[in-house]
Amino acid sequence: MSFVRYLFLLLLCFVGVGLAAAQDHPVNYDEAKVPAYDLPDPLVMEDGTRVETPEQWRKSRRPELLRLFEEHVYGRMPKGAAEIRAKVVNECLALGGRAVRREVDLLVSGKADGPIRLLIYSPVGVSGPAPAFLALNFMGNHSIQPDPEIMLSTQWIGNRAGHGIEDNRATEASRGKLSSRWPVERILARGYAVVTAYYGDIDPDFDDGFANGVHPALDPEGDAERKPNEWGSIGAWAWGLSRALDFLEEDELVDAERVAVLGHSRLGKTALWAGATDERFALVISNNSGCGGAALSRRCFGETVARINRVFPHWFCERFRSYDNQESRLPVDQHQLIALIAPRPVLICSAEEDRWADPLGEQLAARAAAPVFRFLDSASLVHRLRPGEHDVTDEDWTAYMDFADREM
Ligand code: GCU
């Protein structure tokens, strides 16, 4: 073969591979086109044995499922304890004396790009430590409430035009920009504390080969090649939620045994993974979490595994990519992620118009997880569907608080 011809063939190969990689199936929003699928049974072990007792679930099946999610979906979190020092950096009465506002830096040894900063609002006048809602935020702690005293985030923030973010840095104009999703005063009035941190403090949300955030501080040294089961950003964000809970265990403002972990969208995926990996979370709420969250991957409705892996290659472990357009080969599906939280209370929230996140797929996942809750004698799994779009609304918060009042 002539050299020129060889080069030409080589080029064709590259183009072919490139096209195949870029080729997601068209987004499907038609129920009639949802493929037929069988869901793996959460109560049957990999070797085919049926789980007969709650003891067997705890000792064998739960760890097995957790390992499958680590190996195939989210990657493993570092096993050893990280060296973390907590430092209160700001503390005052706030909101007209109705709350204590405390800001705390979690300094992770070896993390070069700053601390993970917690913002805590705790209600004044409640007896004893308050139960709390713990959730990461998308734009910096100062974005959840127009409180001029909250320290402005100095981290990289995804460029959000119209939200007071300039050149990926927060400005005064971004204070309270996401407050419609955080009815802080209402939450405090119902006796709950609010605890949050900016998710980019834990791991900035872009694909940089894991050079920033907590990854370089915690990944094994000399780990030039990433292994197929190494944690991605969702794993890191969930890990950060657990470190926040470590701090709350030492803090007198919050009752660490009554902490509900919650999140919206990608942070809803994160809340579910945090609830599955850390049994100290008393209650878990996912809002519009969709693909890689509460929605069944096998339905391929709205966002798919291939599409999420292509657009957000840093969210999951590398092995998850081997299931692009091959969802039926996955050894797990997302109902089993919900089942991992049982018997603790779980609220899965969907929105009718949020088709990208497949509301029906979330409902079916909750339904397929329910046998595990029943098996463990728990009636605390609820799916909630509301009209409207992908968002967190006031009415959503009413549902969260009603659920927490009842279940936590
Ligand atoms: C994108 C992504 C979703 C994610 C959402 C969000 O739409 O495809 O998976 O949930 O962003 O986090 O806002």
Side-chain angles (χ1 to χ4, degrees), residues 116-308:
I116 300 169
R117 179 165 296 157
L118 302 180
L119 165 65
I120 305 171
Y121 278 116
S122 179
V124 164
V126 296
S127 59
F133 286 99
L134 166 63
L136 299 176
N137 67 70
F138 279 97
M139 277 177 48
N141 294 344
H142 60 277
S143 68
I144 76 154
Q145 174 75 13
D147 173 343
E149 300 301 326
I150 299 174
M151 294 167 79
L152 270 193
S153 174
T154 55
Q155 292 285 351
W156 176 94
I157 294 176
N159 205 346
R160 285 160 204 259
H163 279 96
I165 307 293
E166 276 166 26
D167 298 329
N168 299 109
R169 298 288 157 187
T171 65
E172 284 293 331
S174 55
R175 287 192 186 278
K177 282 290 177 184
L178 290 184
S179 59
S180 72
R181 292 182 175 178
W182 297 83
V184 172
E185 307 242 14
R186 279 183 62 215
I187 303 169
L188 292 165
R190 288 197 42 175
Y192 292 95
V194 177
V195 185
T196 189
Y198 171 48
Y199 81 137
D201 277 3
I202 306 166
D203 190 16
D205 190 4
F206 56 86
D207 180 26
D208 69 334
F210 301 104
N212 60 18
V214 294
H215 284 100
L218 295 165
D219 288 350
E221 252 182 84
D223 187 11
E225 286 263 305
R226 283 188 84 73
K227 297 181 192 63
N229 64 355
E230 263 181 80
W231 61 335
S233 294
I234 292 179
W237 299 326
W239 176 91
L241 285 166
S242 286
R243 302 296 70 81
L245 186 54
D246 294 345
F247 173 78
L248 296 177
E249 284 187 328
E250 306 298 321
D251 192 73
E252 82 290 357
L253 291 178
V254 165
D255 178 356
E257 289 183 3
R258 287 190 298 155
V259 172
V261 65
L262 72 157
H264 170 61
S265 213
R266 70 198 67 184
L267 297 178
K269 309 178 207 298
T270 302
L272 289 169
W273 184 229
T277 49
D278 191 335
E279 293 183 88
R280 295 173 302 164
F281 288 115
L283 184 151
V284 181
I285 301 172
S286 81
N287 195 71
N288 307 174
S289 60
C291 181
L296 293 173
S297 300
R298 279 170 173 73
R299 276 174 45 81
C300 308
F301 188 100
E303 186 171 30
T304 58
V305 171
R307 155 83 202 207
I308 206 167

